[in-house]
Amino acid sequence: FDSFFNERILYENKKIYKTIDDLDKIGLIYKKDNATWFKGTKVGRDSDRVLIKSTGEPTYRLPDIAYHITKYEREYDICIDVFGADHMDAYPDVLEALDQLGHDKDKIKVLIHQFISILKDGKPIKMSTRAANFITLDELIKEVGSDVLRYFFIMRHMNSHLNFDLKLATEKSEENPVYYIQYANARISNIFKKAIDINVNENDNLNSLTTDVELKIINKLINFEELIKKLLDSNEPQMLANYLYELSALFHKYYAHNRIIQENMELTKARIVLIKAIQIVIKNGLKILGISSPDKM
């Protein structure tokens, strides 16, 4: 994290109580059963919600509202909230309260993620925070490495349940999608070592790249720029993860059936240009995802 915000600050500087006062001034607070309520039904919500329990303890909604107000005060132009599925009911109330307080709720984008199951020997590990039985991210990183952890979390759409298979994650084979992509990059680097004496430049004739797989690779590479533009709006990094896997699959298939360095020097240079383009895209894609691209494996 570049910065860390402790919820305790909202209590020390009285932000949560100011939030209650500000909502009260616009008629959205009332008392009932010794609790403090947000009058959500007055502004189109399905029900009213407790902000402070009868015990005096705030519910999640109140510090969340106060915290987001600090985001506006710090003048962020967009705020992306990443929540688990158990926040599905709470965040619309937070956004509505912010809107009623005069803040632009369109500056907040909420991403709701489904839950993750950790599989060991094909069976899910039962976890419970209440029973203090859980696996931390630190433990996962130690076991599988940060590259694998990032890719596995990214490779599924946020609305899809993720089964994190520990056996697959620790595999150093083509079955592991991260290894598969990184190995494509390393394999290309190895080819370049063998072709170190071959001079390639932008004026080389590429008309000899005519096979079906070569044309598929070229079309795939052309789509990279448009894909990155889509990521800016969609916040769906799994599209890039899947793209890199598909590009790597095309390369591995191409490498298995076509010699890159051969007697035909024109074709050799054309194919070197092609695989160089593949490597540039793979490296850029992995960098965007925060995953390393080792040149040797």
Side-chain angles (χ1 to χ4, degrees):
F1 296 97
D2 292 325
S3 64
F4 184 88
F5 192 102
N6 195 316
E7 185 181 342
R8 186 178 65 236
I9 295 169
L10 299 171
Y11 296 84
E12 291 173 347
N13 61 18
K14 312 296 183 185
K15 283 282 188 182
I16 61 166
Y17 306 111
K18 184 179 186 307
T19 300
I20 290 289
D21 290 341
D22 290 342
L23 288 170
D24 193 23
K25 288 175 185 175
I26 56 177
L28 294 179
I29 294 295
Y30 68 93
K31 295 290 181 72
K32 177 184 171 185
D33 300 329
N34 293 321
T36 302
W37 294 70
F38 170 62
K39 199 179 291 185
T41 51
K42 183 178 178 180
V43 290
R45 299 296 302 141
D46 294 335
S47 60
D48 297 343
R49 299 289 187 176
V50 175
L51 294 184
I52 301 179
K53 301 175 187 177
S54 59
T55 59
E57 180 187 3
T59 62
Y60 288 127
R61 287 171 175 80
L62 180 54
D64 279 359
I65 296 167
Y67 171 65
H68 280 85
I69 290 172
T70 73
K71 288 283 192 179
Y72 291 107
E73 291 172 348
R74 285 179 276 164
E75 299 184 341
Y76 286 107
D77 48 15
I78 188 161
C79 173
I80 300 174
D81 288 344
V82 183
F83 293 141
D86 52 338
H87 286 262
M88 185 73 77
D89 292 334
Y91 84 83
D93 295 321
V94 174
L95 294 184
E96 189 57 47
L98 291 167
D99 189 43
Q100 295 301 320
L101 290 171
H103 300 291
D104 183 2
K105 65 180 180 181
D106 290 337
K107 286 187 174 183
I108 298 175
K109 187 164 188 177
V110 178
L111 306 182
I112 298 290
H113 272 262
Q114 292 302 312
F115 293 106
I116 295 165
S117 295
I118 308 293
L119 301 184
K120 190 170 186 178
D121 300 324
K123 296 178 181 179
I125 298 173
K126 291 183 179 179
M127 292 191 280
S128 169
T129 51
R130 290 182 180 177
N133 178 33
F134 53 85
I135 296 173
T136 67
L137 275 177
D138 283 341
E139 289 172 319
L140 272 181
I141 291 172
K142 190 174 181 180
E143 185 156 355
V144 305
S146 60
D147 284 344
V148 172
L149 186 71
R150 273 183 173 273
Y151 188 90
F152 273 53
F153 272 57
I154 289 169
M155 70 180 179
R156 293 277 182 271
H157 189 279
M158 61 185 170
N159 291 326
S160 301
H161 186 94
L162 170 62
N163 288 322
F164 193 107
D165 191 332
L166 284 173
K167 185 175 184 299
L168 178 60
T170 52
E171 284 248 351
K172 297 242 189 282
S173 72
E174 294 184 357
E175 296 297 314
N176 185 328
V178 190
Y179 185 90
Y180 191 65
I181 296 168
Q182 291 176 324
Y183 188 52
N185 171 70
R187 188 171 246 174
I188 292 171
S189 291
N190 191 48
I191 295 171
F192 290 153
K193 288 178 182 177
K194 296 176 181 177
I196 193 169
D197 294 328
I198 300 174
N199 294 318
V200 178
N201 61 66
E202 60 185 19
N203 298 318
D204 286 328
N205 189 350
L206 304 181
N207 291 334
S208 54
L209 300 175
T210 58
T211 66
D212 286 345
V213 68
E214 286 170 338
L215 296 178
K216 282 181 180 178
I217 290 172
I218 291 169
N219 283 320
K220 194 75 174 174
L221 293 170
I222 290 171
N223 290 335
F224 182 67
E225 182 178 355
E226 190 61 33
L227 174 70
I228 298 304
K229 290 177 181 176
K230 284 182 182 178
L231 290 180
L232 286 172
D233 297 322
S234 68
N235 299 120
E236 295 183 13
Q238 83 281 352
M239 293 194 299
L240 178 54
N242 294 333
Y243 171 91
L244 292 175
Y245 184 84
E246 292 162 4
L247 177 61
S248 298
L250 284 172
F251 166 72
H252 287 304
K253 178 182 177 183
Y254 180 59
Y255 178 83
H257 297 97
N258 298 274
R259 287 183 62 84
I260 306 300
I261 303 172
Q262 52 183 280
E263 291 182 2
N264 184 333
M265 190 52 61
E266 183 177 304
L267 182 57
T268 296
K269 288 184 177 182
R271 286 181 171 175
I272 288 175
V273 170
L274 180 63
I275 65 170
K276 181 61 179 176
I278 294 171
Q279 186 180 55
I280 289 170
V281 168
I282 288 176
K283 279 181 173 287
N284 284 338
L286 289 175
K287 185 178 180 180
I288 290 169
L289 295 181
I291 296 172
S292 69
S293 51
D295 290 328
K296 186 178 180 181
M297 294 178 71

